[in-house]
Each structure stands twice: as C-alpha cells, then as structure tokens.
Amino acid sequence: MIHFRRVSYWYPDSPEPVLRDVTFDIEEGEFVLVIGPSGSGKSTLLRCINGMIPHFYGGTFAGAVRVAGLDPVELGPKGMAHLVGFVLQDPEAQFVVDTVEDELAFAMENQGLSMTLMRKRIEEVLDQLSIAHLRHRRISSLSGGEKQRVAIASVLTLQPKVLVLDEPTSQLDPQAAEEVLTVLQKLNEDLGLTILLSEHRLERVAQYADRILWVPAPGRPPALGAPAEILAQVDLTPPLITLAKAMGWRPLPLTIKQARPFARRAGLVGQPSLQDEESVIRRRPPNAAPQDSLTVDMRDVWYTYPGTDQPALRGIHLQVNRGEFLALMGRNGSGKSTLLKHIIGLLQPQRGQVLVAGHDTRRHSVEELARFVGYVPQNPGALLFQDTLQDELEFTLRNHGMPPRDYTPLLRALGLEPHLERYPRDLSVGERQRAALAAILVVEPQVILLDEPTRGLDYPQKRSLAGFLKEQKAQGRTVIMSTHDVELVAECADRVVILGEGEVIVDGPARKVMTSSMIFSSQVNKLLRDDRFLTVEDVLASIPPAEVGQ
Amino acid sequence: MRQDYHPLAWLAWATAAAVVALMTLNPLYLILLGLAVLASYRVISLRSPTARQWGAFLKAGLLIWAITIPFNAVMSHYGRYVLFRLPADWPLVGGAITLEAVAYGFARGLSLVLLLMIFATFNSAVDTARLLRRMPAFLYLAGMITSIALAFVPQMISALQEIREAQRVRGHRFRTIRDLLPLIMPLLTTGLERAMQLAESMEARGFGGSAASISRLLDYTLKGMTLAGLLAVLAGLFARSYWSRQAWIGILLTAGGLLLMAAAFWVQGRRVRRTRYRHDLWLSRDTLMVASSAAAAAGILIARALNRAALFYYPYPPYSVWPTFDWRLGLLYALFMAPAWLLPSARTAQPDQYPLPREPL
C-alpha cells in the first residue's frame, strides 16, 4: 500500500537530512503506530505520504514514495487528497467553516462531487464516527475530542484508502483521546482502512497496532516491526512495559490483562488492603495546619464566569503548606484551571478569600503576587516572544525590577543550557514547555503553579519534568499542578485533590487516594493492586536485585 | 426537518423590517414593530440549534436609549407641555423640561434600538458563513476568505486573552505603547502558525483542486481585466464627486468597471471545477415569510407615497406630541411577526430537534 524507497529529505536551509535513506513497506489494512521522541522526524515522514513534503515545505527530496501505486511527489497534496486523509495535531487550527456539516462537505466540494453524492457520504460519515448528533453544531462549541472526530470525518468523506494522523490526541485530555482512538480502531477493523498514527499514549494504542514504526532520531533509519519486538528495544515506554522489561517478562505484555499472569507468577500481586474508603475521601478540616506555615489558603471561594450561570468554583476550602506537592485532578471543566488562576490573582473570588503567604489576592495586583507565585500557563506559546531564550529570562527579571542573576543552574536543571541563544519558538514542544518554566522560575518564586504541564510531552520529557519538579520541592518550594496525567502524579505528588463541578470531592495523601481509586490510579497499581506499589521504582525497590530479571 | 428559515428568507425579512423601521419615528408603530421582532427572536432562539444570543447587541442598544432620553430632555427645552423646570442659571441644562423633548428622545432612541434588534435577530438566526456560501461562483474565493476570517477572529481574541494573562504573570505591566510588544509578537506568531496549519489542512483536502491549466496569455488577460475594472470603478467614484454635473460619466465608468471585473471573475470561476453543498431547503414557510415581509414593506411604502403625513411624527410644535395611529398601517407593521407564527409549535417538534447546548456569548 505504502512503499518508501531510499527516501531522504532536507528541510530548506538545513545541512542535515531529517530522513536519510528511509525504506519500508506497509500493507493494505494495517494499523501502524509511529513512535519516536519529539523532533525525530515522525511528522516529516508522515507528510511524505500525501506529498505535503516536499510540495508544501520545499526543501530537497530524494528517493521514491508510492501510495497505492501513485507518486505523491508528482501529484502533490491536492492530487492525493482522494487517497490519503490527513489529520493534524491541533484540533483548533484545521477547520475552514464554522458548522460541522459544512466542514464535512468542504473536501468533497473541492473534488467537485455532485450534491446527491455529497449528501449520501455525509450521512454515512456521520454514522461511522457517531457524530450525527453534532451535525448542526458550531465547531467552536465542540469539545476537543468532538473536534478531532469531526476532523477525521471531514477527510473520510473522500473515502480515502489511507488515513494519516499526526499526534491527533496530544492536545486532548484522556477521555477525549479515548474517544478518538476508539473511533480509529473501529475504522481500521470495520472498513479496512490503512492507518498511520503517530502517538505518545502507547499504553492505550500499543495493543491495537499491527506494527510499530520507530523513528529514533533525525537522519537515523526507522525500524518497523511487531509491537512487542519494537517496544523491547525502545526506551520511551509506559510504566507497565518499563516494569515488564525490568522484570524480564517475555513475550512483552502490552496490556494490564496480558501482564497479570506474569505478575502473579512473580508473586507481586498483593491483596488489596480493605482500607477504609471513607477515611481517604474525608476532606481536611479547615485550618488543620498552624497558620504561619500556610502558603496558600483558600476559604470558601466561589466564582462564576461572567455570562454563565453555573459557578465554576463552589465553596472551595483548601490549605496548602509550604513544601507540599499538590496535584489537582478531575475531569475537564471541573474547575482546576479556575482554581489555579485564583492563587495567582488572575481571577478574584466573588465570595470568600484567597490568601497567598498571608496576602489577600484582592488587595494585591497579579504583578506583585507574581514575585512569589510562579504560574506556568498551559500553552507555552502564549509566553515566549523574544529572539533568544536569554532575552526571555532577562525580560522577566527586568519586569520585576530584579538585577541580572546567574540562571545557569536553573537552565542546567532544565536541560536548556545549550539553547540559551536559540529562538524559543523554534524549540521542540518539550523544550518550549521547559523554556516557559525557566522564564517564570527565573525569579525563584516560592509557589509554583502548573496548568497541565505534560500536555504533548513524550515519556522521557515527562520523566525529566517530574525530576525537575521533585527537585524544586526538595528545595522547599510549594508545587501545585493541575493534570490528567496519573503517572506523573504517582511519581511526584504527595497530596491529591480531586475536583468535581467546582467542589473538592477528595483531598488526601497521594498514595492513599490513588490506591483507593478506580480511575485515578497508576498502571502499576492497577496491575499489582497493592498499596505499596504506585510506580515502577516502588516495585523494583521492594525486591532484591538478584531476583530482578529472572 | 429544520426548525428555522432559509438564510435568504431571513435576509428578505431583515431588509424589509429595517426599511420600514427607518420610514417613521411614530412611537406606536415602532413599538408594534419592536414587539414583532421580539416575538420572532424568542421563537428562533428557542428552536434553532445554531442560534446565538443577542444579549450584547440589545444591551448596547438599551444603554444608548437610556442615555438619549434624559440627554434630549435636558438639552432641548422647547415645547408646550412643561413637566418641570431646572434652575435657569445652570449652564446648558437649566430651563424647562418638556414632554415633547422626552417624547422625541424616546422615539429617536427607540428607532435605534429597533434597528439593533433587527440586526441582532438576523445575526442570531443566520449563520453568516452559510450565507457567504451562497455567493455566486465567481465570488467563491472572496466568500471563502471572509468566512475563514470570521472564524479566525474569535480564535484570535481568545489567544490574545491567554497571552495577556501569560505576560501579566511574568510581572509585565501595560503602560505605554511599547509595552504592547510582548502582546503583539506572540499573537502574530500564533496567528501565523495557525494560518500555516489551516493552509496545510485545506491543501490536504484538495482545496484549489483540479484547476484546468490555462495559457499564460489568458492568465495575464484576466489579471489585466480585473485591474482595469478596479481602476474604472475608482475613477467612476472619483468622477462622480468631481463633475457632479455630468453624473453619467461617473456612472458609466463605475458600471463598466464592475462589468469588467465580473467577467474576469466569471471566467476564472469556471476554470475551477467544484461544487457546493447546500442543505437548506426552501420551504413553503420561507415563501410565506418573504411574501408577508415584502407585502408589509410595500404596503407601508405605498401608504407613505399616497399620504406623506400617514407616517409622519415630530413631537415639537406646531405638530402634535401625540402620535397618530391608523390600524391598517399597524397591521402591516405587525406582519413582521411572521417568523414567529409560521414555525410549527414547540410541542409538535421531535425530541431530537430540541435545542442543543449553545456556546456562551
């Protein structure tokens, strides 16, 4: 179906090729997962399939690509549109018109299909992706997962043979990602569509993939093979597979179900202690800690966004002590971001009070609060605008009227030292996220707030972020982060607050909350069902080294 | 079955309503028309899944109205019916406050609110992008660009908000023009990045599709025609304001220019083979709505032509502060309630046609 023969590609003005002599074949009806660290050339490779490279990006192209016998280099993306459907990462940026039905028609209009054919195909696609209920909706009113499903539908109307998706779930929360991936699996199984998907969430898709294409680094040859075979040699793996590799389980289990017999044989599956669920979810009594050590103190905070009638926060009581690492969890729209914005003073409570290190946020401006509270927004692109990373850091210092200081330790801790002179927006997703962190943390705030810090990061990047945050906590800083990422929480948080519809539902020690929860639990804990084990390190530390790998 | 009207039917309704709203200052007719528009809005906002709120428009209108009445009352002291007096030594505002001045402010403000209401109803009932899609083929590209721009604006506004927050938490204060740089730079780059992605996504879906190749000569001819047409239109407008005596020169130039451009666009539009998806059916109630609006507007215009006094209202002496009312004209104004009447009642609607959650304004 798809054949690459010695394909090499250089971006314009780049001396080193991103792809060098890439050769592989993908059969019709295969579901191929494309993995690799960010910046390794996954996107570039995918864009060769519909001719976007070299047609849209320019550069130098060598070698041959054939998709169903056609040459994308010759035909270009327009000529390949009926054969290859292409879905991009950002659900916001790929819509042309603003209602769902019209968006679905767009590709067919470009091909000059007749009205009757368009109507038929739209009905079919709406049902295939189960989005018939959305057909009259405005695209701006859809959730992220719904948007991505509409984006997939809008390319399927041309009935392509190949569907290529470039990290379609990286900007989505787990539930929305689940919706999208389920749809893809169904399309592959029911329609026999050949699917190429680049994706970071291996734990969810590894089991559906027929094969995995591993792109290790720019200019290095990719490897194509069975999932278990590829994952055994790759180090970007979910905790379950990391554990399985450390324990030497063969064949490599891809799901929790497959791993369970191994765990049982290794004698690792514990008895879930019947701990009192009540005691876990009981919220902390207000003012439990001595007053002077409180860094953040929210008392009966209520907030309703203008123009809506549902309060986003309803009577939040929350005390966070100095040096705590708190994870805010809960579904989208449960009030996590709203809560964080209250601590930095971007939003002010309509009822109740927020005290940060004793300062009432209503009496101090954001600019004043920002000296001891660092808030890292979800989208680092909103922050970075200078020509070099160094300028970014100095801009923040200047804003606060602080003298230039030595920020090399900070940059070293974030692994950004080599990038000091680079244009921040050219950095990879993970580096950009860390650059934003550096730009905020250069004033050494006592409280660090993070909104969804791991969105779009791959496993190594997550791991390095977790390491950095733990170090910050060790230095006595308070960290409060909102996240959907259970593994990150398992690795570094010591307290978990779960919000639901603007209220604190659960507030307790991370270990207790996570081991007693069905969904807010880590993969390792789901596998072993033992309170002692949340992370791979927990498990490995509990068994004598001699037994590991046997 | 959809629960609203065809965009073109709405266009006809709004145009007719705006024309008759501008015909009179008589508060009785204006109130009647206002109620008719309100009823139409209520019905459509409850039924149509894509309807938007008109809140902001209405609030702005009412605010202007609330200012107009007292402003006119204290500035114009003319009239027979004196309500009360402000001390004469107060500059400007001192003197008699008359019923006539209040009535005039009321009527003026009302006519403005009414126009806003009509526009807001139209805006909430009709998807602008969908209306743009009805453009004739040779204007397709222009319609496309406008509809992308319309979808882009709200995205950029939310991006701006996000960027402003991000710079504030870095301790950035906005005081002078130079301080806007940290705001504008990320906005521009964000906008560019989005535009690139959009272009990519459009191209991957075959936009600009199978254009038949044309000779270079024809290509240059078409470009030349467009340019010449544009120049002729500009020259025509210029000529009209300069040589107002020979108005025909200007008109001829403008018309000729427009024709030239239309021809160029038409030839160009025929080159690209593409179709358009239209799922709006023209129903009998659309015809009824257009017919009733047109009839009402025509009736009112004829009445005005026959008797100029019929719609005339000016509260100050020598005219009467009390408006006249002719029930036949009143009936014509009330005809603008048509959109509310013609829809099947909500109870007979199928459950799955109930309004879906709407985005907040």
Side-chain angles (χ1 to χ4, degrees):
Chain A
M1 192 66 179
I2 301 171
H3 309 280
F4 274 57
R5 285 289 170 276
R6 298 185 60 93
V7 171
S8 299
Y9 176 70
W10 292 258
Y11 275 104
D13 307 323
S14 157
E16 290 300 310
V18 191
L19 308 176
R20 193 200 301 264
D21 286 340
V22 174
T23 300
F24 62 84
D25 297 280
I26 289 171
E27 302 305 318
E28 185 164 357
E30 266 196 292
F31 192 133
V32 175
L33 191 57
V34 182
I35 63 170
S38 2
S40 63
K42 294 193 299 281
S43 303
T44 311
L45 192 144
L46 293 178
R47 279 168 171 74
C48 292
I49 297 172
N50 74 338
M52 203 77 88
I53 285 191
H55 278 264
F56 195 80
Y57 288 89
T60 316
F61 189 93
V65 181
R66 287 289 177 280
V67 180
L70 297 180
D71 181 1
V73 180
E74 184 194 327
L75 293 170
K78 287 172 201 164
M80 297 300 286
H82 67 284
L83 196 62
V84 180
F86 203 97
V87 177
L88 302 162
Q89 189 176 63
D90 188 352
E92 305 294 329
Q94 46 190 321
F95 295 112
V96 181
V97 280
D98 80 338
T99 54
V100 172
E101 206 173 339
D102 292 343
E103 187 66 36
L104 297 188
F106 178 74
M108 294 190 287
E109 292 178 327
N110 292 333
Q111 297 289 321
L113 301 188
S114 74
M115 183 68 199
T116 42
L117 192 56
M118 286 200 270
R119 294 199 71 121
K120 171 175 169 282
R121 293 236 185 126
I122 283 184
E123 296 304 323
E124 287 172 356
V125 164
L126 285 171
D127 283 341
Q128 264 165 14
L129 296 187
S130 347
I131 49 170
H133 59 293
L134 304 176
R135 69 185 303 165
H136 295 299
R137 288 269 294 275
R138 275 173 204 289
I139 284 168
S140 49
S141 72
L142 304 180
S143 72
E146 289 170 338
K147 276 183 186 155
Q148 279 302 36
R149 280 191 288 164
V150 171
I152 294 171
S154 76
V155 302
L156 283 185
T157 52
L158 292 183
Q159 305 191 331
K161 291 209 170 64
V162 181
L163 187 58
V164 181
L165 305 103
D166 188 10
E167 299 192 6
T169 67
S170 72
Q171 302 298 312
L172 306 180
D173 61 78
Q175 288 97 324
E178 186 84 26
E179 283 173 19
V180 173
L181 297 173
T182 311
V183 154
L184 290 179
Q185 187 212 343
K186 196 179 121 195
L187 287 173
N188 176 251
E189 284 184 357
D190 296 356
L191 304 181
L193 211 60
T194 310
I195 295 184
L196 269 93
L197 166 74
S198 76
E199 175 65 58
H200 288 312
R201 284 174 225 256
L202 302 183
E203 65 269 30
R204 181 62 187 74
V205 278
Q207 48 184 314
Y208 301 127
D210 295 314
R211 287 197 288 172
I212 292 183
L213 181 65
W214 176 37
V215 188
R220 296 258 313 276
L224 181 62
E229 182 192 316
I230 294 285
L231 288 175
Q233 32 175 313
V234 173
D235 60 350
L236 0 110
T237 52
L240 177 75
I241 293 170
T242 311
L243 179 69
K245 283 200 287 196
M247 301 294 293
W249 295 342
R250 287 288 182 279
L252 204 61
L254 298 178
T255 62
I256 290 178
K257 191 175 163 184
Q258 288 170 11
R260 215 157 260 152
F262 289 106
R264 213 168 284 136
R265 233 170 292 146
L268 281 172
V269 177
Q271 285 299 314
S273 73
L274 296 169
Q275 58 171 323
D276 186 10
E277 207 179 348
E278 286 278 341
S279 77
V280 175
I281 61 172
R282 188 156 301 142
R283 301 179 214 167
R284 290 194 169 190
N287 296 325
Q291 197 67 28
D292 59 323
S293 75
L294 290 181
T295 8
V296 176
D297 185 2
M298 303 182 85
R299 296 176 186 165
D300 191 30
V301 171
W302 289 74
Y303 185 80
T304 307
Y305 281 99
T308 59
D309 37 354
Q310 289 294 316
L313 296 181
R314 310 167 190 246
I316 297 277
H317 280 284
L318 185 67
Q319 272 100 22
V320 188
N321 292 322
R322 190 159 300 154
E324 259 190 309
F325 196 130
L326 176 100
L328 282 174
M329 305 190 79
R331 102 182 47 83
N332 269 359
S334 57
K336 301 188 297 293
S337 297
T338 314
L339 195 151
L340 287 182
K341 284 185 183 174
H342 271 83
I343 301 175
I344 176 76
L346 282 171
L347 296 175
Q348 290 171 347
Q350 284 148 353
R351 225 169 84 195
Q353 206 179 18
V354 180
L355 298 172
V356 180
H359 298 69
D360 189 333
T361 57
R362 269 180 301 196
R363 289 208 204 96
H364 296 269
S365 69
V366 175
E367 293 78 7
E368 287 168 342
L369 290 169
R371 293 186 72 148
F372 46 93
V373 182
Y375 167 82
V376 186
Q378 218 173 71
N379 171 15
L383 204 78
L384 307 171
F385 73 100
Q386 300 273 18
D387 290 340
T388 67
L389 182 56
Q390 186 170 9
D391 290 345
E392 292 285 355
L393 301 184
E394 275 161 13
F395 175 75
T396 311
L397 284 174
R398 224 174 23 251
N399 281 336
H400 289 291
M402 288 180 172
R405 61 169 66 168
D406 181 25
Y407 35 71
T408 28
L410 176 69
L411 289 181
R412 196 173 304 133
L414 285 166
L416 286 173
E417 238 183 334
H419 303 311
L420 196 60
E421 294 297 325
R422 281 186 62 189
Y423 179 50
R425 296 182 83 102
D426 273 350
L427 299 171
S428 75
V429 188
E431 288 162 350
R432 256 204 249 188
Q433 176 72 35
R434 276 174 282 156
L437 254 166
I440 296 293
L441 299 186
V442 68
V443 296
E444 301 191 347
Q446 281 313 299
V447 184
I448 303 173
L449 309 177
L450 303 131
D451 198 354
E452 296 282 353
T454 56
R455 183 170 275 197
L457 301 193
D458 59 25
Y459 292 105
Q461 287 170 337
K462 276 184 197 173
R463 202 174 305 149
S464 77
L465 179 72
F468 174 77
L469 292 177
K470 277 196 274 191
E471 198 181 298
Q472 293 296 309
K473 177 187 143 60
Q475 290 171 16
R477 302 214 166 87
T478 312
V479 182
I480 305 177
M481 71 175 176
S482 86
T483 185
H484 290 288
D485 193 324
V486 183
E487 307 300 337
L488 179 73
V489 176
E491 204 172 328
C492 47
D494 45 33
R495 182 175 157 201
V496 172
V497 167
I498 299 178
L499 295 181
E501 300 208 302
E503 285 179 83
V504 175
I505 305 293
V506 176
D507 182 352
R511 192 162 284 271
K512 257 184 146 182
V513 172
M514 296 188 80
T515 52
S516 76
S517 165
M518 310 278 236
I519 57 163
F520 295 107
S521 179
S522 67
Q523 257 193 326
V524 169
N525 188 256
K526 279 181 187 154
L527 170 68
L528 304 178
R529 292 199 186 133
D530 190 316
D531 303 351
R532 294 172 300 155
F533 303 139
L534 269 183
T535 63
V536 177
E537 284 76 35
D538 290 346
V539 183
L540 296 185
S542 78
I543 34 181
E547 283 178 32
V548 175
Q550 299 205 341
Chain B
M1 183 66 80
R2 69 197 164 84
Q3 289 290 300
D4 51 10
Y5 297 92
H6 198 278
L8 291 181
W10 274 114
L11 189 63
W13 176 86
T15 316
V19 166
V20 301
L22 287 169
M23 287 287 96
T24 184
L25 267 186
N26 184 323
L28 293 178
Y29 296 136
L30 288 181
I31 288 172
L32 209 56
L33 183 57
L35 289 175
V37 172
L38 186 69
S40 308
Y41 169 75
R42 284 292 300 162
V43 168
I44 206 66
S45 70
L46 290 176
R47 294 303 168 71
S48 164
T50 46
R52 281 178 273 218
Q53 306 289 337
W54 70 353
F57 283 108
L58 198 64
K59 271 182 211 152
L62 291 177
L63 184 74
I64 294 171
W65 199 15
I67 295 168
T68 322
I69 301 176
F71 184 80
N72 197 60
V74 298
M75 297 305 281
S76 146
H77 304 285
Y78 184 51
R80 235 172 291 158
Y81 303 92
V82 175
L83 298 174
F84 59 91
R85 287 175 183 283
L86 290 177
D89 52 344
W90 288 12
L92 275 177
V93 302
I97 301 299
T98 66
L99 181 63
E100 285 90 337
V102 172
Y104 189 72
F106 178 86
R108 271 269 164 224
L110 184 58
S111 103
L112 191 74
V113 171
L114 200 54
L115 283 179
L116 280 172
M117 273 167 71
I118 293 167
F119 181 70
T121 306
F122 177 73
N123 189 50
S124 72
V126 174
D127 188 345
T128 351
R130 197 175 286 176
L131 196 68
L132 282 168
R133 292 164 70 80
R134 311 203 69 84
M135 293 260 211
F138 64 87
L139 285 179
Y140 173 77
L141 213 56
M144 196 72 221
I145 293 165
T146 321
S147 92
I148 291 173
L150 281 176
F152 215 59
V153 169
Q155 278 184 20
M156 283 298 104
I157 290 175
S158 66
L160 186 66
Q161 173 73 12
E162 204 184 326
I163 293 165
R164 211 178 69 91
E165 281 183 358
Q167 300 302 0
R168 278 186 72 194
V169 302
R170 291 171 86 181
H172 186 65
R173 290 173 169 82
F174 298 99
R175 280 167 302 214
T176 64
I177 299 281
R178 275 182 63 85
D179 294 340
L180 288 178
L181 202 64
L183 210 63
I184 291 164
M185 291 302 290
L187 187 69
L188 282 181
T189 31
T190 308
L192 266 174
E193 281 166 7
R194 289 230 172 125
M196 283 296 284
Q197 281 205 36
L198 183 64
E200 218 181 325
S201 142
M202 286 170 73
E203 191 139 348
R205 283 184 283 163
F207 180 71
S210 43
S213 59
I214 49 164
S215 67
R216 183 163 292 186
L217 180 69
L218 182 57
D219 190 34
Y220 281 124
T221 317
L222 286 174
K223 281 179 182 149
M225 273 164 77
T226 317
L227 190 68
L230 199 64
L231 285 175
V233 170
L234 285 176
L237 293 174
F238 186 72
R240 271 202 58 169
S241 51
Y242 252 77
W243 303 297
S244 44
R245 297 274 173 74
Q246 282 95 13
W248 58 271
I249 298 182
I251 293 171
L252 217 63
L253 270 174
T254 316
L258 284 175
L259 217 64
L260 209 57
M261 279 202 288
F265 281 142
W266 186 72
V267 175
Q268 220 144 20
R270 274 169 52 100
R271 280 174 50 220
V272 179
R273 208 176 75 80
R274 50 170 302 119
T275 46
R276 265 180 301 169
Y277 180 73
R278 286 178 185 160
H279 44 85
D280 309 311
L281 290 176
W282 185 270
L283 301 176
S284 55
R285 60 164 181 264
D286 295 313
T287 315
L288 275 174
M289 179 158 128
V290 172
S292 65
S293 312
I300 290 165
L301 287 176
I302 291 169
R304 186 169 179 267
L306 293 177
N307 173 15
R308 282 195 74 86
L311 289 169
F312 183 79
Y313 176 74
Y314 190 68
Y316 295 109
Y319 307 103
S320 165
V321 67
W322 310 115
T324 56
F325 188 76
D326 182 332
W327 65 270
R328 288 165 299 186
L329 277 173
L331 212 61
L332 287 177
Y333 272 103
L335 264 182
F336 284 96
M337 223 184 289
W341 283 339
L342 297 171
L343 277 188
S345 76
R347 265 186 226 100
T348 60
Q350 298 298 310
D352 61 348
Q353 287 156 357
Y354 278 119
L356 293 156
R358 263 167 290 159
E359 74 223 82
L361 191 82

